[in-house]
Amino acid sequence: MSIVTPITKLLNIRVPIVQGGMQWVGVPRLAAAVSEAGGLGILTGLTQPTPEALRQAIRETRKLTSKPFGVNITLLPTINPPDYAGYSRAAVEEGVKIFETAGNNPGPLIKYFKENGCIVIHKCTTIRHAKSSERLGVDILSIDGFECAGHPGEDDIGGLYLLARAAQELKVPYIASGGIADPRGFVAALALGASGVNMGTRFMCTVESPIHQNIKDKIVASTERDTVHIFRTMRNTARVFKNKVSMEVVRIEGRPGGAKFEDIRELVAGSRGRQVYELGDPDYGIWSAGITVGLINDIPTCEELFKRFEKGAQMIVSGLTSCVNIQDEPSRAKL
Amino acid sequence: MSIVTPITKLLNIRVPIVQGGMQWVGVPRLAAAVSEAGGLGILTGLTQPTPEALRQAIRETRKLTSKPFGVNITLLPTINPPDYAGYSRAAVEEGVKIFETAGNNPGPLIKYFKENGCIVIHKCTTIRHAKSSERLGVDILSIDGFECAGHPGEDDIGGLYLLARAAQELKVPYIASGGIADPRGFVAALALGASGVNMGTRFMCTVESPIHQNIKDKIVASTERDTVHIFRTMRNTARVFKNKVSMEVVRIEGRPGGAKFEDIRELVAGSRGRQVYELGDPDYGIWSAGITVGLINDIPTCEELFKRFEKGAQMIVSGLTSCVNIQDEPSRAKL
């Protein structure tokens, strides 16, 4: 079977589920598994140490799947910015046709991808940013609610509202990011006007995810109370797993007079987060996790997960038709 | 048409939409209009100055509708608690059969209503509270997400996640509260396993709502950025409209060393909030408002609103059946 929405046609995929572009997690094996299962796998550009390494990762992914996949380029607020242009050029030259962009000031990046005939999915946490991205020519918006892992913005607006608002305002198709990890959230997102969903945390906890088994087990054992916001006082809020390191960051941020980035730099180093995934100690550093850790109870293969979502979506929509009488053939809402 | 779910049967209503129990707003005219339109109207018990006045309000409502309606009793953290038992007895003696309870330590109240053969809907903001309410024998849970007006609890969990989690955990039917103001949110809630929705802010902005026209116009003109949390530092967080008074409360709470309730008592007085609704000055005091102020663009009658929800639900479910193929008749998900 298939689930047909505007984005399945645009992206040439069978099921409108996009894998989030997760740092250290979006590697060829996972991206290929998601694409093979029927969704859109995403290689995280900056997970590769250099543009040349990204070229190799793209080639490696192609060996694992002939289906479409994308590359994520996230523009981070950082002192020494990575070579975004170099990563982007490498991916375009390798023939990648789908990009996910996120972060600050994406205009030049979006322009480059569009000039090269690529499809751009851009992630936003507010309607006003989504509308300005529309004007930049993005093809698909990824509307990221308060529940998400990583950066939710500073407005704290949950997906249930934000997606319904997007339906009122947006012209291009949008996918729902943040807070979704099961077929109920998937169908709810479609009802809210989304053309599909983006999932990160759920894919972290699959067989093909490259992170250490201990961390997958930790996600299974966690609840929605096991994430916390850091960097809030710096207006660069990020939702991460609640552990010794993140709670120490929160403590330092809460000191009278607040904290400067220098005060926590050591604690939040990306290399320590990477070590969490490699060594399997959930307390070693900062790692992103969405509220959906509380919905996740197992570690399926991507193929099993997609089958579950497809069957679940069928069952839920069938249940909806039995409670909401649609026999008098009303006009159909745009989805 | 009708929309059939476990709660429409239990409550003997045509459409599974329950009006929230709003202080100063849940008066006979509004409750009767909601019930007449096909939902469950709710009289707010403590809006009446005495149990005897609640008796009169119940009789007044009966003159306006022969359909079922309920009474809300919210247990507030307060220095001089109202005569909860008196209000409850008055309503039971007047023959009310449906109660909505909310707040702290609802056990004795729920026991009293159940002993008197009433149906109890209890509002919770967490799964763990919902599960303990189940053990107290409530018939329906109202699962209230972070988006809601008034008290969201301290966990900050949006409805998109919380409702999907409820589907995993709860045995009794539940309705979705917080963040819902249009047919998309309604169908999304059903997809997330809810048997209906509770709406407060949306009903504030109807023709039959008793609040001043200026305040209704203010809601229409507002966005999701026009609410704010007060009492956060006192761990009794409440989402209210962002105005001069609430921002002053936030400022005082944020002072070095924090604030005591005494420091803000004058600002947050309920009498001032009541005056907002009566006189129409949105800056006069504290008044509750959900994030859905940003979804609300008009002031319909309750009947118009229900027609919109019924037609919208039909269209959205019809749209879902056209994108998710259900022709091979899978089993149906419980809703």
Side-chain angles (χ1 to χ4, degrees):
Chain A
M1 68 161 289
S2 61
I3 299 179
V4 179
T5 74
I7 75 147
T8 55
K9 293 173 199 166
L10 258 173
L11 301 173
N12 191 25
I13 56 179
R14 192 168 53 81
V15 182
I17 297 177
V18 175
Q19 171 222 323
M22 298 165 276
Q23 183 65 324
W24 316 129
V25 183
V27 297
R29 184 180 175 215
L30 177 60
V34 172
S35 291
E36 278 294 297
L40 185 75
I42 299 270
L43 284 180
T44 307
L46 302 183
T47 289
Q48 301 300 327
T50 61
E52 187 54 36
L54 178 57
R55 280 184 195 276
Q56 295 307 318
I58 292 165
R59 291 175 193 173
E60 199 183 321
T61 310
R62 284 248 167 72
K63 283 185 197 147
L64 299 169
T65 184
S66 58
K67 299 211 163 76
F69 61 91
V71 168
N72 164 286
I73 306 278
T74 296
L75 299 154
L76 305 158
T78 177
I79 297 159
N80 301 307
D83 179 11
Y84 297 122
Y87 281 97
S88 303
R89 203 168 44 242
V92 167
E93 285 174 6
E94 288 299 317
V96 171
K97 287 287 172 202
I98 304 169
F99 287 86
E100 183 195 51
T101 56
N104 300 317
N105 193 20
L109 205 57
I110 291 169
K111 187 162 179 282
Y112 173 73
F113 292 135
K114 290 310 299 172
E115 282 170 358
N116 282 278
C118 301
I119 290 171
V120 177
I121 307 169
H122 183 63
K123 189 181 272 195
C124 296
T125 62
T126 69
I127 299 297
R128 59 194 184 282
H129 288 130
K131 285 172 73 91
S132 60
S133 311
E134 267 189 343
R135 288 189 290 271
L136 293 173
V138 302
D139 302 280
I140 299 169
L141 283 155
S142 181
I143 301 295
D144 205 16
F146 179 64
E147 297 84 357
C148 70
H151 297 284
E154 307 303 322
D155 283 2
D156 297 354
I157 311 294
L160 187 57
Y161 169 88
L162 202 57
L163 297 165
R165 242 334 251 147
Q168 288 184 343
E169 290 286 340
L170 302 185
K171 292 183 188 75
V172 306
Y174 58 97
I175 57 176
S177 297
I180 296 162
D182 76 359
R184 291 199 178 275
F186 178 37
V187 178
L190 298 177
L192 289 163
S195 296
V197 298
N198 176 293
M199 299 194 296
T201 308
R202 177 63 271 194
F203 284 117
M204 283 171 72
C205 209
T206 56
V207 169
E208 295 91 344
S209 152
I211 67 179
H212 196 284
Q213 184 69 29
N214 287 358
I215 304 302
K216 297 180 190 177
D217 293 341
K218 191 74 183 174
I219 291 173
V220 167
S222 297
T223 79
E224 68 278 4
R225 303 177 83 198
D226 288 317
T227 75
V228 67
H229 281 136
I230 60 170
F231 302 150
R232 172 120 284 191
T233 62
M234 298 164 191
R235 294 196 61 78
N236 185 31
T237 302
R239 189 185 292 281
V240 300
F241 195 76
K242 191 188 274 182
N243 63 12
K244 286 176 192 163
V245 187
S246 56
M247 291 309 286
E248 175 68 5
V249 172
V250 169
R251 196 191 62 75
I252 294 171
E253 286 193 82
R255 286 191 310 213
K260 292 203 179 68
F261 186 72
E262 287 69 47
D263 304 333
I264 55 172
R265 183 197 296 272
E266 197 69 23
L267 289 166
V268 303
S271 57
R272 287 180 65 166
R274 183 174 198 164
Q275 294 266 54
V276 167
Y277 296 147
E278 284 177 4
L279 305 177
D281 175 2
D283 279 318
Y284 191 79
I286 296 290
W287 53 287
S288 294
I291 276 183
T292 55
V293 291
L295 275 173
I296 295 169
N297 301 318
D298 63 357
I299 308 167
T301 63
C302 289
E303 193 187 344
E304 286 164 351
L305 192 64
F306 271 75
K307 282 193 178 145
R308 183 187 305 172
F309 271 67
E310 289 174 86
K311 178 134 197 273
Q314 280 191 319
M315 286 175 63
I316 293 162
V317 173
S318 179
L320 286 171
T321 62
S322 74
C323 86
V324 178
N325 179 350
I326 54 165
Q327 285 168 355
D328 47 344
E329 295 195 22
S331 44
R332 284 173 170 167
K334 170 179 161 272
L335 289 168
Chain B
M1 66 161 291
S2 62
I3 298 178
V4 179
T5 74
I7 74 146
T8 54
K9 294 172 199 166
L10 257 172
L11 301 173
N12 191 26
I13 56 178
R14 190 169 54 81
V15 182
I17 297 177
V18 176
Q19 172 221 324
M22 297 165 278
Q23 183 66 325
W24 316 130
V25 183
V27 297
R29 185 180 175 215
L30 178 60
V34 172
S35 290
E36 278 294 296
L40 186 75
I42 298 270
L43 284 180
T44 308
L46 303 184
T47 289
Q48 301 301 325
T50 62
E52 186 54 35
L54 178 57
R55 280 185 196 274
Q56 294 308 320
I58 290 165
R59 290 175 195 174
E60 199 183 322
T61 310
R62 284 248 167 72
K63 283 186 198 147
L64 299 170
T65 184
S66 57
K67 299 210 163 76
F69 62 90
V71 168
N72 164 285
I73 306 278
T74 296
L75 299 153
L76 305 158
T78 177
I79 296 159
N80 301 306
D83 179 12
Y84 297 122
Y87 281 97
S88 303
R89 200 165 50 240
V92 166
E93 285 174 6
E94 288 298 318
V96 171
K97 287 287 171 202
I98 303 169
F99 287 86
E100 183 196 52
T101 56
N104 300 317
N105 192 21
L109 206 58
I110 291 169
K111 187 162 179 283
Y112 173 73
F113 292 135
K114 291 309 299 172
E115 281 170 359
N116 282 277
C118 301
I119 289 172
V120 177
I121 307 169
H122 183 63
K123 189 180 272 197
C124 296
T125 62
T126 69
I127 299 298
R128 59 194 185 283
H129 288 129
K131 285 172 74 91
S132 60
S133 312
E134 267 189 343
R135 288 188 291 272
L136 294 172
V138 302
D139 302 279
I140 299 169
L141 283 156
S142 180
I143 302 294
D144 206 15
F146 179 64
E147 296 83 356
C148 69
H151 296 282
E154 307 303 320
D155 282 2
D156 297 355
I157 311 294
L160 187 58
Y161 169 89
L162 202 57
L163 297 166
R165 242 335 252 149
Q168 287 183 344
E169 289 285 342
L170 303 185
K171 292 183 188 73
V172 305
Y174 58 96
I175 58 177
S177 297
I180 295 162
D182 76 358
R184 291 198 179 276
F186 179 37
V187 178
L190 298 176
L192 289 163
S195 296
V197 298
N198 176 294
M199 298 193 297
T201 308
R202 177 64 269 193
F203 284 117
M204 283 171 72
C205 210
T206 56
V207 169
E208 295 91 344
S209 152
I211 68 180
H212 196 286
Q213 184 68 29
N214 287 359
I215 305 303
K216 296 181 190 178
D217 293 340
K218 192 74 182 174
I219 291 172
V220 168
S222 296
T223 79
E224 67 277 4
R225 305 179 83 198
D226 288 317
T227 76
V228 67
H229 281 136
I230 59 170
F231 302 150
R232 172 120 283 188
T233 61
M234 298 162 191
R235 295 195 61 77
N236 184 30
T237 302
R239 189 185 293 279
V240 299
F241 195 75
K242 190 189 276 182
N243 63 12
K244 287 176 190 162
V245 187
S246 56
M247 291 310 286
E248 175 67 6
V249 172
V250 169
R251 194 192 61 77
I252 295 171
E253 286 194 81
R255 286 191 309 213
K260 292 203 178 66
F261 186 71
E262 287 68 48
D263 304 334
I264 55 172
R265 183 197 296 271
E266 197 69 23
L267 289 167
V268 304
S271 56
R272 288 181 64 167
R274 183 172 197 165
Q275 295 265 53
V276 166
Y277 296 147
E278 284 177 4
L279 305 177
D281 175 1
D283 278 318
Y284 191 79
I286 296 290
W287 53 286
S288 294
I291 277 183
T292 56
V293 290
L295 274 173
I296 295 170
N297 300 319
D298 63 357
I299 308 166
T301 65
C302 288
E303 194 187 343
E304 285 164 351
L305 194 64
F306 270 75
K307 283 195 178 143
R308 182 186 306 172
F309 271 69
E310 289 174 86
K311 177 134 198 270
Q314 279 191 319
M315 285 175 63
I316 293 162
V317 173
S318 179
L320 287 170
T321 61
S322 74
C323 86
V324 178
N325 180 349
I326 53 166
Q327 285 169 354
D328 46 344
E329 294 195 22
S331 43
R332 283 173 172 168
K334 172 178 160 270
L335 288 167

